[in-house]
Amino acid sequence: PKVEHVNDPLPITQKIANRLHQFKIFAIRDTLSKLSNTQYLYINLLEAPVLAFFISFMVKYYNVVTRENGAYTFYENQNIPVFFFMSVVVALFFGLTLSAEEIFKDRKILKREQFLHLSRTGYLFSKIAVLFTISAFQTFLFILVGHFVLEIPLTEVRYWLILFSVACFANVLGLNISASFNSAVTIYILIPILIIPQLLLSGVVIEFDKFNPRVTKPIGVPLMGNIMASRWAFEAYMVTQYKDNPFEKQFYELDKIVAQSEYKRIYLIPELESKLSYCMVNRAQWRNVNHQGIKNSLLILQNEITNELTQIGGSSFDDLNKLAVGRFDSTVYVSTQQFLSTIKNVYLLRQNKAMKELELLKESMTDTPQKRAAYDKMRNTYQNKSVADAVRNINTMHRIVEYDGKLIQKLYPIYMDEHKPRYWFDFSANLYQPTKHFAGYTIDTLYFNIAVIWSMTLAFYVLLYFDGLRKVIQMIENRRYRRVDKS
């Protein structure tokens, strides 16, 4: 009898080999196409160093009015935060303009090759590989020129990682636009529409707590800010520049103790003492459950003292549960006052101890003229005063604000890492906090923010793979046409 042979599907290894081969063919074709376009090559090679030189040259500020023979130093340049922000914007611009027409211009070729059933994964990966390579080169040139002009050490390579991540995000976003719209004019009109929200919602142009109250709150970053790659990139830039530069690394932990102790002793505890005094003055309302002033003051006292008990460690306060309407009395007032006075003294001792250690450390680094010169040179090379002022938020009018039964710290966000998540995936935090809490882990802000940008990039790749944006646009257009037909 004859044996009928059934065509078995290709083994998985053969499928992978075929897709890798198609990826290679697509990548070579795309690369050769770009290399043959002389204007394309020149623009993409020159735009990064030209823009880097223009921006860095214009922001290279030093004071020539109040100083004779004023010399430039990175430490005193007030425009470094502006340069960081413009670097993020430029990376977004590079990524979008580089990828905006990539799929659109291939539509005729893709239609002609449709019957070959070529791998969509191979095609998209080839586009992404080529674009990511160009973006890596562009951002490297930008960093090379910009840092040379502003005298930022090239050893600070983590800045390149931030810009490269942003450019890759913009690459994939641009590919989605390129695959979804049927006009080059429409695509390039969309680029500024996509960039403007990245500017506005980055936390630089307008501070997050100065937004419309309907979309923001005094603590953390609003949702509209958290979906912007520019916000994550700029925060990573500022935090890592201050916290991770070789000069500040020597003092950061001690600076943190001094700053947080100062905040607790000068702002937080006096505010709690004021709330406690308010309750004592209004003793006639101690049992009035409808009196919002007493109710809010006792709630804040209870919340903040609970938080302090976890921060100080080894301390206890037996009357904590009595800080409530109907249970508060003069005895609780006295015990609370004594407790606040005690923890104020604890923070004073912590601050004095850390300041003494700082003083001894700095004395050991500056006790000879040669060491003093090396100390000043290192500070002027690696640290920037404007960045330090911004991440410490020392120019804010409100050091502490009251919100939702809690006192919110606005001063020294760069030293705040004790935020407790409300739920497992809660990563909300004030801008410029040094760490983020996520899924039970405490993660350095630089690496967490870069991971967020790459997560957004992956999400847009999934959207691109399934043609999600194009399908949504077609659905909207079809609905509009049906309405026109019915009328």
Side-chain angles (χ1 to χ4, degrees), residues 321-340:
N321 292 328
K322 294 181 181 179
L323 291 170
V325 177
R327 306 190 69 187
F328 183 81
D329 55 27
S330 57
T331 304
V332 177
Y333 166 80
V334 172
S335 63
T336 305
Q337 190 178 46
Q338 290 173 347
F339 177 80
L340 293 177

Side-chain angles (χ1 to χ4, degrees), residues 152-202:
I152 303 173
L154 293 176
T155 52
E156 308 282 78
V157 292
R158 59 190 183 278
Y159 301 150
W160 172 81
L161 183 59
I162 296 169
L163 291 190
F164 174 64
S165 300
V166 172
C168 292
F169 161 80
N171 285 157
V172 181
L173 177 60
L175 287 176
N176 274 275
I177 298 167
S178 183
S180 305
F181 293 91
N182 54 13
S183 166
V185 175
T186 304
I187 290 170
Y188 282 104
I189 287 174
L190 279 171
I191 289 178
I193 295 175
L194 292 171
I195 288 181
I196 288 172
Q198 297 282 347
L199 302 178
L200 184 65
L201 301 175
S202 62

Side-chain angles (χ1 to χ4, degrees), residues 25-35 102 126-127 130:
I25 297 299
F26 282 131
I28 292 172
R29 184 172 72 180
D30 196 26
T31 303
L32 292 176
S33 172
K34 286 175 169 53
L35 290 175
E102 283 297 307
S126 69
K127 284 290 181 187
V130 173

Side-chain angles (χ1 to χ4, degrees), residues 120-365:
R120 178 171 175 80
T121 303
Y123 172 75
L124 293 178
F125 272 27
S126 69
K127 284 290 181 187
I128 288 172
V130 173
L131 291 175
F132 281 14
T133 302
I134 297 172
S135 291
F137 189 65
Q138 284 183 322
T139 50
F140 176 74
L141 285 177
F142 186 90
I143 288 286
L144 195 67
V145 175
H147 284 207
F148 175 78
V149 174
L150 293 173
E151 300 180 16
I152 303 173
L154 293 176
T155 52
E156 308 282 78
V157 292
R158 59 190 183 278
Y159 301 150
W160 172 81
L161 183 59
I162 296 169
L163 291 190
F164 174 64
S165 300
V166 172
C168 292
F169 161 80
N171 285 157
V172 181
L173 177 60
L175 287 176
N176 274 275
I177 298 167
S178 183
S180 305
F181 293 91
N182 54 13
S183 166
V185 175
T186 304
I187 290 170
Y188 282 104
I189 287 174
L190 279 171
I191 289 178
I193 295 175
L194 292 171
I195 288 181
I196 288 172
Q198 297 282 347
L199 302 178
L200 184 65
L201 301 175
S202 62
V204 180
V205 178
I206 304 175
E207 295 178 12
F208 286 127
D209 55 2
K210 300 295 191 299
F211 278 13
N212 187 326
R214 293 185 179 183
V215 297
T216 190
K217 53 186 179 180
I219 183 173
V221 178
L223 175 62
M224 294 301 294
N226 279 332
I227 62 176
M228 297 294 150
S230 58
R231 163 264 192 275
W232 296 103
F234 181 71
E235 183 189 40
Y237 239 127
M238 296 288 282
V239 169
T240 192
Q241 200 294 312
Y242 178 76
K243 185 173 72 73
D244 299 326
N245 77 73
F247 178 79
E248 177 58 28
K249 266 187 174 181
Q250 304 169 101
F251 314 113
Y252 178 78
E253 291 301 326
L254 291 173
D255 283 340
K256 178 179 176 180
I257 295 172
V258 171
Q260 287 298 82
S261 298
E262 177 191 310
Y263 164 76
K264 297 290 179 71
R265 189 173 60 84
I266 296 178
Y267 298 104
L268 178 64
I269 297 173
E271 185 68 22
L272 294 178
E273 289 174 335
S274 175
K275 297 290 182 186
L276 186 63
S277 297
Y278 173 83
C279 293
M280 190 62 185
V281 169
N282 293 274
R283 60 190 307 151
Q285 306 296 332
W286 285 354
R287 300 189 180 278
N288 185 355
V289 294
N290 296 319
H291 194 281
Q292 288 300 318
I294 294 291
K295 188 176 179 180
N296 290 339
S297 295
L298 290 173
L299 177 62
I300 288 172
L301 282 164
Q302 190 175 73
N303 288 336
E304 295 302 325
I305 289 176
T306 300
N307 184 57
E308 287 305 308
L309 289 173
T310 62
Q311 296 301 317
I312 294 177
S315 299
S316 61
F317 182 56
D318 296 335
D319 290 333
L320 181 64
N321 292 328
K322 294 181 181 179
L323 291 170
V325 177
R327 306 190 69 187
F328 183 81
D329 55 27
S330 57
T331 304
V332 177
Y333 166 80
V334 172
S335 63
T336 305
Q337 190 178 46
Q338 290 173 347
F339 177 80
L340 293 177
S341 178
T342 299
I343 60 173
K344 183 187 286 188
N345 289 331
V346 169
Y347 283 118
L348 178 61
L349 292 173
R350 283 188 181 182
Q351 184 179 2
N352 289 340
K353 181 182 177 183
M355 288 179 68
K356 187 174 181 179
E357 290 182 33
L358 264 176
E359 186 179 345
L360 291 173
L361 178 59
K362 290 182 179 181
E363 280 183 4
S364 68
M365 299 172 68

Side-chain angles (χ1 to χ4, degrees), residues 355-411:
M355 288 179 68
K356 187 174 181 179
E357 290 182 33
L358 264 176
E359 186 179 345
L360 291 173
L361 178 59
K362 290 182 179 181
E363 280 183 4
S364 68
M365 299 172 68
T366 58
D367 55 4
T368 67
Q370 294 81 8
K371 286 184 178 181
R372 181 70 202 188
Y375 175 90
D376 290 340
K377 182 180 178 181
M378 190 178 189
R379 184 198 63 181
N380 292 339
T381 300
Y382 288 105
Q383 193 172 59
N384 179 261
K385 185 177 184 299
S386 293
V387 171
D389 291 346
V391 297
R392 291 182 297 163
N393 201 22
I394 61 174
N395 296 320
T396 182
M397 292 179 62
H398 305 288
R399 265 49 175 169
I400 186 170
V401 296
E402 181 180 331
Y403 178 77
D404 195 24
K406 296 178 182 178
L407 296 176
I408 309 302
Q409 179 178 345
K410 305 299 289 184
L411 186 67

